[in-house]
Amino acid sequence: MEHDPDRLRSGVAPNVRVIQHVVLATTGALRFAQHHDGDASGENTLAAAPAAEHTLGCNLEGEGIHGESPDCDACLGSEVVAFSLSLRSDHHRQNEIIMTISDIIIHCTCPGRSSISCSVWLFRAGVVNPNDIVFGGWDISSMNLADAMGRAKVLDFDLQKQLRIHMESMVPLPGIFNPDFIAANQGSRANNILKGNKKEQVDHIIKDIREFKEKNKVDKVVVLWTANTERYSDVVVGLNDTMDNLLASLDKNEAEISPSTMYALACVTEGVPFVNGSPQNTFVPGLIELAIKKNSLIGGDDFKSGQTKMKSVLVDFLVGAGIKPTSIASYNHLGNNDGMNLSAPQVFRSKEISKSGVVDDMVASNNILYNPGEHPDHVIVIKYVPYVGDSKRAMDEYTSEIFMGGKNTIVLHNTCEDSLLAAPIILDLVLLAELSTRIQLKAQSQEKYHSFHPVATILSYLSKAPLVPPGTPVVNALAKQRAMLENILRACVGLAPENNMMLEHK
């Protein structure tokens, strides 16, 4: 492998910019709407709210009712609710002071006592309490959420019995259905469908959002796609490549506009944040252009919950340690409705694309290990095995080149409740999307504050295939994504960015 010493001699000039920020306060409740097509992760997110509110627990194999810490049960897996920060070093005890965001908000309630107290008060005003969220949404199935919960067979039966009274009144609104974009095996569920052409359906979604917002007296609406994975849409010049072409195609009822893109169009038109939790290319170029023009938040793509999150940690570690991954083989099988839908080859292709790109930036970060354009062999397999239900099996094999021509192979086996890993991520995405619409910043030389870019990179940590503004590099390394999110939250509570230098101990 050739090494270019000239690259090491290139000069780098420091560029110092002072950035000021403010978090605008929220005044009330938030409405979270989702389109879920019978997806269990969406149902479990809805189930968590009454479980926490009414102190409901589950009886697992005779271990008793988990009623002592329901808030913890409801937040396990949630980065936002269980987020912890290092405040400073305690020189007397010679350790760090670690507190969760919730602890900081509870214990520092007197603005004006210190700079931290003032900042925390601002953050407290700025973060929506999960208990203030009003839930609603659309589905192509008319089944109420209690019956859908029973059909999914994810939650413990004892917990389902306790939740039924709180969920049986939750009935989804009719949803947009286009059988060309999902597996044929989903057709039997489709009995709650919006009628009309595509323009009429988008207008109906806008009407639903407005009516729900007025009926429930909420201040903001966030919409998140938790529905089936769709096949990739064809990006065609004159169809969806620009904002004007996409809107004209909607008026013409063009077939190649997917349901998820139609929901996103409705939200962007209405100025409502829209997050895509599935891997398909919902955000075609014309839709991204429209979102930027209207400064309406969009984010995604695809929940990052298990195998991909582990991959983004392990490959980052291997490359950072000077070890060269040369082959990555990832196998999955699962038996829930997501697995059944992914059994269609054209739908699986969307998931394959989403999972495949996760190591690209880590490989590109080391030009000693990898030549330009060189990548590890990377294969993803997903199979539908009905018997295992929501208990997904993920198996990975990582083969790497090591010192003096040696080989190293790491094999992982992960069994997880697929939907229960995704459900708290849904909550996090909603809370972060809403918060990011109210964070404003400016350079010291600028007169006016401005919001984040409408393509919400703050959501990257929770997404398999992060959506970024045009021309922006994609970062998949989990540690970098976590540091970005943590330092933004630290800024919101008046804390300096964390650099882990710990010079006070050197």
Side-chain angles (χ1 to χ4, degrees):
M1 182 182 300
E2 294 185 0
H3 181 62
D4 182 6
D6 291 335
R7 283 184 288 187
L8 300 179
R9 291 196 293 265
S10 60
V12 178
N15 182 11
V16 179
R17 299 180 67 198
V18 177
I19 304 294
Q20 297 172 315
H21 77 280
V22 63
V23 184
L24 303 180
T26 181
T27 57
L30 168 71
R31 185 241 176 153
F32 161 45
Q34 58 180 339
H35 179 60
H36 52 82
D37 285 357
D39 178 78
S41 56
E43 293 155 9
N44 292 330
T45 306
L46 296 179
E53 179 181 357
H54 300 284
T55 320
L56 304 179
C58 56
N59 191 337
L60 297 176
E61 300 178 1
E63 296 178 4
I65 301 296
H66 294 299
E68 297 181 3
S69 58
D71 291 337
C72 183
D73 285 346
C75 76
L76 289 175
S78 168
E79 292 284 341
V80 175
V81 177
F83 207 97
S84 63
L85 298 176
S86 172
L87 299 186
R88 59 177 173 83
S89 295
D90 185 337
H91 294 286
H92 299 291
R93 298 181 182 177
Q94 296 184 343
N95 58 15
E96 288 185 293
I97 297 175
I98 305 293
M99 296 184 74
T100 65
I101 284 290
S102 58
D103 285 337
I104 295 172
I105 292 173
I106 290 170
H107 295 301
C108 301
T109 56
C110 300
R113 288 188 177 179
S114 69
S115 60
I116 290 181
S117 294
C118 292
S119 300
V120 169
W121 184 260
L122 178 66
F123 191 59
R124 189 182 187 196
V127 174
V128 172
N129 187 324
N131 293 330
D132 292 334
I133 297 177
V134 180
F135 293 92
W138 305 265
D139 200 318
I140 61 173
S141 169
S142 62
M143 186 176 290
N144 69 66
L145 270 294
D147 291 340
M149 176 178 61
R151 177 178 63 182
K153 299 178 181 179
V154 174
L155 297 180
D156 176 79
F157 183 69
D158 180 71
L159 180 57
Q160 288 191 41
K161 290 192 296 183
Q162 298 175 70
L163 285 169
R164 171 164 284 277
I165 189 174
H166 304 289
M167 298 186 67
E168 58 190 358
S169 62
M170 297 183 184
V171 179
L173 297 168
I176 300 173
F177 176 62
N178 186 338
D180 182 51
F181 281 88
I182 57 177
N185 55 36
Q186 300 298 299
S188 60
R189 294 172 176 253
N191 62 357
N192 193 38
I193 301 171
L194 274 179
K195 304 299 182 182
N197 59 38
K198 293 182 185 294
K199 180 65 166 61
E200 291 169 342
Q201 290 174 337
V202 169
D203 290 342
H204 199 289
I205 296 301
I206 294 174
K207 176 174 173 287
D208 286 342
I209 293 172
R210 291 175 178 174
E211 289 180 350
F212 196 100
K213 186 175 182 181
E214 174 62 28
K215 177 182 177 181
N216 292 280
K217 306 302 180 185
V218 296
D219 300 290
K220 281 193 175 181
V221 177
V222 174
V223 176
L224 193 149
W225 178 273
T226 67
N228 281 326
T229 296
E230 297 173 331
R231 67 164 174 83
Y232 253 48
S233 300
D234 293 331
V235 177
V236 180
V237 174
L239 175 73
N240 51 16
D241 58 322
T242 68
M243 173 185 68
D244 291 337
N245 288 341
L246 178 60
L247 294 175
S249 297
L250 182 70
D251 291 334
K252 296 175 186 176
N253 202 38
E254 294 283 357
E256 197 57 26
I257 304 178
S258 69
S260 65
T261 297
M262 293 168 65
Y263 279 97
L265 270 171
C267 292
V268 170
T269 301
E270 195 66 6
V272 168
F274 181 89
V275 181
N276 176 32
S278 292
Q280 70 276 344
N281 60 339
T282 296
F283 302 117
V284 293
L287 181 55
I288 295 175
E289 182 185 349
L290 180 64
I292 293 173
K293 179 180 179 181
K294 291 185 171 291
N295 197 33
S296 184
L297 184 146
I298 57 174
D301 295 305
D302 203 5
F303 303 136
K304 181 163 60 182
S305 59
Q307 186 180 59
T308 304
K309 183 173 287 187
M310 184 70 70
K311 186 177 296 182
S312 65
V313 173
L314 185 56
V315 174
D316 191 32
F317 157 71
L318 292 171
V319 172
I323 295 172
K324 182 180 180 179
T326 53
S327 171
I328 305 171
S330 298
Y331 168 85
N332 308 256
H333 68 260
L334 68 167
N336 57 17
N337 190 55
D338 183 38
M340 184 165 69
N341 181 59
L342 288 172
S343 64
Q346 73 276 17
V347 176
F348 165 70
R349 178 59 181 155
S350 295
K351 180 68 75 173
E352 185 179 32
I353 294 171
S354 171
K355 282 176 167 283
S356 296
V358 69
V359 302
D360 289 350
D361 64 308
M362 290 162 263
V363 169
S365 70
N366 195 316
N367 56 23
I368 296 176
L369 294 181
Y370 296 95
N371 290 315
E374 185 182 6
H375 296 277
D377 295 335
H378 193 182
V379 178
I380 292 100
V381 177
I382 301 177
K383 294 297 182 182
Y384 177 53
V385 182
Y387 178 78
V388 302
D390 201 61
S391 186
K392 177 181 175 182
R393 273 70 160 174
M395 286 156 275
D396 296 85
E397 180 186 271
Y398 299 82
T399 300
S400 304
E401 294 179 359
I402 60 174
F403 188 62
M404 300 296 287
K407 295 287 191 293
N408 170 248
T409 299
I410 299 173
V411 179
L412 303 179
H413 185 284
N414 177 26
T415 300
C416 61
E417 301 295 334
D418 195 41
S419 300
L420 295 182
L421 285 177
I425 292 176
I426 292 173
L427 176 62
D428 286 348
L429 286 166
V430 171
L431 295 175
L432 287 175
E434 195 281 329
L435 173 63
S436 65
T437 63
R438 289 181 288 105
I439 299 176
Q440 296 189 353
L441 68 160
K442 71 181 183 72
Q444 194 173 36
S445 59
Q446 295 175 321
E447 293 184 3
K448 295 183 179 180
Y449 286 92
H450 60 85
S451 61
F452 283 153
H453 194 284
V455 179
T457 54
I458 192 175
L459 307 180
S460 297
Y461 181 65
L462 304 168
S463 306
K464 280 191 182 76
L467 183 71
V468 299
T472 302
V474 177
V475 175
N476 280 295
L478 199 72
K480 292 181 180 179
Q481 293 175 337
R482 165 83 185 198
M484 177 269 295
L485 177 58
E486 177 178 347
N487 284 326
I488 288 175
L489 293 179
R490 291 178 69 87
C492 288
V493 298
L495 297 174
E498 181 61 81
N499 57 33
N500 293 308
M501 292 174 67
M502 300 182 71
L503 290 177
E504 66 271 24
H505 299 298
K506 300 297 188 288

